[in-house]
Amino acid sequence: MMTTTSLRTFSIPRPSEANFRRLRYAKHGEIAQALDMGPDDFREFKKQVREKMHTSLDHSKKFEEQDPSAWRAFVQWAYEAMPSLVSRYEDAWPVELYVRTSLNKYIAYERYRFRKAVAKYKRSMVLRSPSALDEKEMSPADLPPPYDEDDRTTCSEIPGARMHPDAAPENIEEFLRSCDFDLGHLTSAFVTRRAGLFNLERLELLASWPAALRRDHLERHFGTMLDDVEIEVLNKRFVEMSRVQI
C-alpha cells in the first residue's frame, strides 16, 4: 500500500487489526464516527470511492486478490481526489476499509444469485416431490443488500433475523471466541432464526455435517462478514468440535 513519509503525524492513525476488522461489520454511523466525518462528508466519501471502484477494480475478486498495481493507482487517486485523507488518515485507511467491505458484499451477492439460479434450474429439470410443491420462492426482501447500498442492513430489517427464543448467546460467544481468530462479533448473527446456530445443540449438529456442506452454509450466511481465511478458521473449529463428539 502507498504510504506517505514516516515523519508525518496523522490525526487519525490506522486502527489495530482487531478494530479494523470490527469496523468492517459496523453500522455506517459508527464508521463515520470513527472517521470523525459528518453525515454529508461520509456520504460524499462513499459516493466517490464507489464510483471509482466501478472503473478501477475487479469486482469478481476480493481485496487480497486485486492487482497490486491497480490498488496502488486507486490509492494514488484517493490522495489526489480527496486531499484531506493525506493529512488526516494514515495510509488512507478509510478507503481500504470501504473497498474491502464493498467487494465482499458484491461477491457474496453474486454468489448468492448464482446458487439461486442453479437451484431453480435443477428444480425445473426434475419432477417435483410433494414436499417441494409447497416450497415458496424467496422474496426479493430475502436477498442480501446490493454491495453498493448506502446503509447496511440491520438485524431488524432482515426476515428471520430476530433472536431465536431458544438462543444461548453466552455459549455461542464462548465458542466463537475460542476460534484461532476471535470471532465473538458474530454472536448476534449466529443466534438469529435465519442462521439457526443459536445454541450448542445446533453447533454440534452443524459440526456433524460434511465439510463442504458446512462451508456452503457458513458462506451463505456469513460471506459478507468474513473473508476466506476467517471462514476456514470457523470451519476448522467445527471440525475440532466434531472430533470431541466422536
Side-chain angles (χ1 to χ4, degrees), residues 90-122:
E90 181 181 2
D91 290 339
W93 64 265
V95 176
E96 178 186 340
L97 176 70
Y98 189 72
V99 168
R100 279 182 177 273
T101 301
S102 297
L103 290 174
N104 283 348
K105 286 171 74 76
Y106 181 85
I107 291 170
Y109 180 68
E110 291 301 311
R111 181 187 296 156
Y112 187 89
R113 290 182 59 189
F114 174 76
R115 287 176 178 153
K116 289 296 295 179
V118 170
K120 185 176 181 179
Y121 173 76
K122 288 181 177 179

Side-chain angles (χ1 to χ4, degrees), residues 129-178:
S129 65
S131 60
L133 290 174
D134 295 329
E135 183 179 333
K136 296 181 179 178
E137 291 292 333
M138 185 166 286
S139 69
D142 289 323
L143 287 171
Y147 75 103
D148 58 354
E149 184 171 290
D150 279 347
D151 296 317
R152 296 174 184 272
T153 302
T154 62
C155 287
S156 62
E157 296 170 337
I158 302 175
R162 293 188 299 275
M163 182 181 292
H164 194 280
D166 296 328
E170 62 282 352
N171 293 335
I172 302 303
E173 182 175 9
E174 181 180 358
F175 169 82
L176 292 170
R177 291 190 180 281
S178 69

Side-chain angles (χ1 to χ4, degrees), residues 31-50:
I31 296 174
Q33 184 176 13
L35 301 183
D36 193 25
M37 284 189 188
D40 292 340
D41 290 339
F42 187 53
R43 191 177 300 109
E44 179 62 23
F45 162 74
K46 291 187 297 178
K47 178 177 179 293
Q48 289 194 54
V49 174
R50 186 166 58 243

